[in-house]
Amino acid sequence: MTARRALHFFLALPLVIIWRAAPAATLTLDDSGTQALEPGVSMRWQTAVPPRSSGADLLVGTTSIRVRINVMPWLKRSARIYLALPAQPPGPIAASWTTQGQLLPGQLRSGNRVLVYAGPITAGFLEDTLKFQFSVNAALIGRAYPVNFHFEMDE
Amino acid sequence: MLARSPSSPAAALVPRPAAPGLPERRTSRRAALAGALAAALVGTLAGNRADPFTATLNPAAPLTVYLQVGVGSFTNDYIYGGQPENNTTINTVSVSVSSAVLGNHTAQAMTTNSTATQSYWDGYTYCSVPGQLYIGGFYRTTGGTTAAAQVTATVPAGLTDAGGDSLPFSKIQWTSSGNGDNGAEPFPAGTFVNGGVQTVGSMASNTWNESCWTFTYLNNSVPPAGTFTGVVLYTLSAP
């Protein structure tokens, strides 16, 4: 009996290790109900005048987006939802946003994500209006660029 | 069912753990019900979008130029949020040469009625009046590095007096500097041409450029007595 228990232990140990080593899956959430309240983001000079010598010279623009995330599958459960801004052309992009309270305000640079919701899911959709400010180095943006972001959660 | 089907487009949208509170043993009826519910979820979720949301960043009217020769106008220094304004003032640079030294080849320093001494960038006292004339500005554009903007002077053939006498503009030249400055000046020293358009400086994109000009009259000829005047027009041209 002792030998059989030991065998079970050694069999179980690798399974536990494998299970713990498996990375958490990241799910991109369905936000197909999200709508921009303006057709585009007009990027203007952050300051009226350039720096004395060449350096970072930023364009900034704001836009309001009505976010609607489908969280129906997680109803009556807790969830941690992130806003992700992938690294993408034209280069480093900074974003900050304010909310109306359902989601968390925050800021991030492209290539990162930040928590915007943590708590119980009590309705089928998470809805909020976010006012974004994007900023990007003027040298990178000589024409219009689409900037993609999404909401995700770790399973 | 959905959670175990990685090829299902809806799989990523469905939580994988079993519903809490469900008994370990399920009856076949419950299994059938779960299957029906899952099928309904597939019908609902398959039409949903999990694509990223896109916001389009549009550089809006970003091309901006500012040139100041002599006095200019800003709402405040740039570092305090100042914005450039229009100023239509035409400043003069002049010298009065006495008959005792007229034409003796000793250059005569000219002075200006401009009161511009401080850089509107930060309020630093960059030029000294009345001996120096401030010239500065910027050219802003988006995208990668572009060719520099050019500043040109449109110069008449000569300075004239009321009697119709003329004095070549080439008898006026200038040096370029700035308080505490070092390195090459964006608006270097030069001599006026006798009629025509000449480049007097350039501005790299998205930088502030400024110099202080000190004018002199060469005084190497003896013109008729009189007051000789001429107007030079400075133009900033962005690519």
Side-chain angles (χ1 to χ4, degrees), chain B residues 97-191:
Chain B
V97 184
S98 69
S99 58
V101 298
L102 185 64
N104 70 356
H105 293 260
T106 300
Q108 301 293 300
M110 303 179 79
T111 58
T112 178
N113 68 348
S114 167
T115 56
T117 58
Q118 295 178 331
S119 167
Y120 277 123
W121 198 85
D122 57 359
Y124 178 71
T125 301
Y126 194 59
C127 301
S128 302
V129 292
Q132 293 180 319
L133 181 73
Y134 179 93
I135 178 169
F138 60 82
Y139 147 56
R140 309 190 82 182
T141 186
T142 59
T145 303
T146 66
Q150 301 296 316
V151 177
T152 58
T154 302
V155 188
L159 300 105
T160 57
D161 67 0
D165 301 310
S166 179
L167 198 61
F169 247 100
S170 60
K171 292 190 178 295
I172 299 174
Q173 59 185 207
W174 63 92
T175 59
S176 184
S177 63
N179 292 332
D181 202 8
N182 52 40
E185 293 292 335
F187 306 101
T191 303

Side-chain angles (χ1 to χ4, degrees), chain A residues 30 45 47 52 57 148-149, chain B residues 15 49 53-54 58 62 140 210:
Chain A
D30 168 24
W45 296 108
T47 58
R52 190 180 280 280
D57 202 9
N148 299 319
F149 63 90
Chain B
R49 176 179 65 80
F53 190 83
T54 299
N58 296 307
R140 309 190 82 182
E210 57 191 352

Side-chain angles (χ1 to χ4, degrees), chain A residues 17-150:
Chain A
I17 292 171
I18 290 169
W19 181 81
R20 284 191 177 276
T26 299
L27 309 180
T28 299
L29 301 180
D30 168 24
D31 67 343
S32 56
T34 295
Q35 291 181 319
L37 301 184
E38 293 102 17
V41 187
S42 291
M43 302 296 289
R44 300 185 181 281
W45 296 108
Q46 184 184 45
T47 58
V49 173
R52 190 180 280 280
S53 58
S54 59
D57 202 9
L58 297 179
L59 291 176
V60 298
T62 60
T63 190
S64 294
I65 295 175
R66 187 178 294 135
V67 170
R68 192 168 193 261
I69 309 170
N70 184 352
V71 287
M72 195 82 73
W74 294 273
L75 197 58
K76 297 181 180 177
R77 297 172 57 199
S78 287
R80 293 171 63 83
I81 296 174
Y82 300 84
L83 191 159
L85 181 64
Q88 57 194 295
I93 302 166
S96 63
W97 60 92
T98 59
T99 73
Q100 294 185 336
Q102 180 71 12
L103 299 179
L104 297 171
Q107 57 186 351
L108 83 168
R109 295 185 66 80
S110 53
N112 296 286
R113 69 178 192 173
V114 68
L115 187 71
V116 292
Y117 184 85
I121 303 296
T122 58
F125 292 89
L126 273 178
E127 297 181 80
D128 203 338
T129 299
L130 275 57
K131 185 166 187 178
F132 279 91
Q133 176 173 287
F134 293 98
S135 63
V136 61
N137 190 323
L140 300 175
I141 184 169
R143 60 172 176 83
Y145 272 98
V147 172
N148 299 319
F149 63 90
H150 63 267

